[in-house]
Amino acid sequence: QVQVVESGGGLVQPGESLRLSCTASGLTFETATIGWFRQAPGKEREGIICVPRSQGARLHLRSAKARVRVFRNDPAKTFDLQLNSLNADDTAMYYCAFGQSPYDSCSGDSRDYDYWGQGTQVTVSS
């Protein structure tokens, strides 16, 4: 049984940084494509960034450019997201997702991912 767990969310002030963690069990972490998504109230889920098996990360959320970093650690089976200079528009539920692609690539389309965590809430407010 696959389990995906996100953690690290919370209430932060504008301008601060946050690092979210994702762990998974029950799947082959090393060959998975992994992505971070978010969903704000009343909005569709959107892809932030993803990392394929061996290639570099691919950014999908333009508003996060220069503010986001990901850390994929296959031996530890963790996939962390760091988001800097947070603002109110970053308030959302953040999700980690895993998929299997026959190609060494990844996408920001949630339909390409098979396993999801419950999410971790990030609220940016003064």
Side-chain angles (χ1 to χ4, degrees):
Q1 183 179 0
V2 176
Q3 284 192 322
V4 179
V5 180
E6 304 96 337
S7 63
L11 174 63
V12 296
Q13 294 191 347
E16 292 185 339
S17 299
L18 203 62
R19 182 162 174 156
L20 308 179
S21 287
C22 171
T23 63
S25 60
L27 53 77
T28 305
F29 199 98
E30 294 80 2
T31 61
T33 58
I34 317 175
W36 276 101
F37 294 77
R38 72 183 188 185
Q39 187 167 17
K43 295 186 177 181
E44 293 187 355
R45 189 168 298 188
E46 58 184 353
I48 302 171
I49 192 167
C50 66
V51 179
R53 290 194 301 269
S54 62
Q55 299 298 317
R58 298 187 180 186
L59 182 69
H60 304 290
L61 187 66
R62 290 187 177 184
S63 65
K65 188 176 182 180
R67 298 195 296 128
V68 66
R69 292 187 65 190
V70 286
F71 305 88
R72 177 172 177 162
N73 188 329
D74 286 352
K77 299 187 186 301
T78 61
F79 183 55
D80 291 359
L81 171 75
Q82 180 166 328
L83 195 56
N84 303 317
S85 301
L86 288 160
N87 59 67
D89 291 338
D90 294 316
T91 294
M93 185 72 79
Y94 284 70
Y95 299 91
C96 178
F98 288 76
Q100 294 288 341
S101 173
Y103 311 104
D104 195 4
S105 64
C106 62
S107 80
D109 189 337
S110 61
R111 294 170 296 181
D112 291 335
Y113 296 82
D114 303 307
Y115 305 106
W116 293 79
Q118 294 298 307
T120 184
Q121 177 68 38
V122 173
T123 302
V124 184
S125 176
S126 57

